[in-house]
Amino acid sequence: CNMSFVAKIDTDSAATLLLDTLSKGGPDGRYKLQMTAEGTLGFANFTNYGMPINFLGQAIHHTKVHHYNDTINIAIAPRDDNSSSLVTAFSISGIAGAYGDGGQNFKNIISIFEATGITWSYTIENGCPAPANAEPLIGLVPMVQAKEVTPEPESLHAECKLTWTFTESCATASAGLAEAAKSMAGFSGCVGEKCGYTLESAN
């Protein structure tokens, strides 16, 4: 689920607001801020590095019913000479096989911004329609068109998304991918960092 939000606050205020909202567990007590590569909890500050974003952060949400851990990446970019902020949020299920998540990733994101107590304009960039029985969004206003372009969370985090098409059956393709991941566990031929694959689950 990929969404963007705009509010008339500068990026420092936006980062502080989101940090405060998530620092005590978020709106349902099930969010946990993650350490950044820069050694800070929740958000890394890139304001003085000449980057298109000023803050980059991450949190994990532990779902209530099935106890899955979903990851929410958040990028905060300045707009209009930093008189307002553009926040891009990307939530991904932490369990394999979550093809239809029942609106969970949408909820992971939208609940955070509802809990901040200020008005945000938002856009669903791709995926994550609201559940059919979703309640009205308090303090959130849909935007008709997209805003200034900012790097997607995929390009700001160490991740890559690929789509493959196989001629084999689903069962054969799934088994082959699982075996490939197992065979690459502990691979140490990367430059600069350790890398490898750990098979978390296969459905």
Side-chain angles (χ1 to χ4, degrees), residues 9-196:
I9 54 175
D10 60 42
T11 55
D12 284 329
S13 299
T16 299
L17 187 61
L18 291 169
L19 189 65
D20 289 345
T21 301
L22 292 167
S23 61
K24 296 180 180 179
D28 63 358
R30 295 177 175 274
Y31 291 81
K32 184 177 181 180
L33 291 166
Q34 301 299 293
M35 291 296 297
T36 68
E38 290 69 30
T40 54
L41 182 64
F43 286 89
N45 188 337
F46 297 107
T47 305
N48 299 319
Y49 290 86
M51 297 176 64
I53 57 137
N54 286 358
F55 293 91
L56 191 63
Q58 187 178 88
I60 300 294
H61 181 247
H62 186 66
T63 62
K64 183 178 180 179
V65 178
H66 297 293
H67 308 298
Y68 299 141
N69 290 321
D70 300 336
T71 301
I72 303 99
N73 291 319
I74 301 173
I76 305 175
R79 281 176 44 124
D80 305 322
D81 295 323
N82 205 21
S83 63
S84 62
S85 295
L86 170 62
V87 183
T88 303
F90 184 87
S91 179
I92 186 168
S93 300
I95 184 71
Y99 183 75
D101 67 0
Q104 182 61 59
N105 281 298
F106 174 85
K107 184 178 179 181
N108 291 344
I109 296 173
I110 212 73
S111 298
I112 298 171
F113 290 85
E114 283 189 299
T116 61
I118 69 168
T119 298
W120 298 86
S121 299
Y122 75 93
T123 300
I124 296 177
E125 301 293 352
N126 54 67
C128 58
N133 61 347
E135 298 178 357
L137 303 176
I138 300 173
L140 301 176
V141 182
M143 283 194 294
V144 176
Q145 59 185 14
K147 308 141 302 302
E148 299 172 8
V149 175
T150 194
E152 299 294 347
E154 293 93 333
S155 65
L156 298 172
H157 289 271
E159 63 180 45
C160 177
K161 181 179 179 181
L162 298 173
T163 300
W164 290 300
T165 300
F166 295 94
T167 56
E168 295 88 352
S169 67
C170 289
T172 300
S174 176
L177 288 170
E179 287 303 315
K182 291 177 184 178
S183 70
M184 297 180 71
F187 180 68
S188 59
C190 301
V191 177
E193 295 184 6
K194 294 180 179 179
C195 68

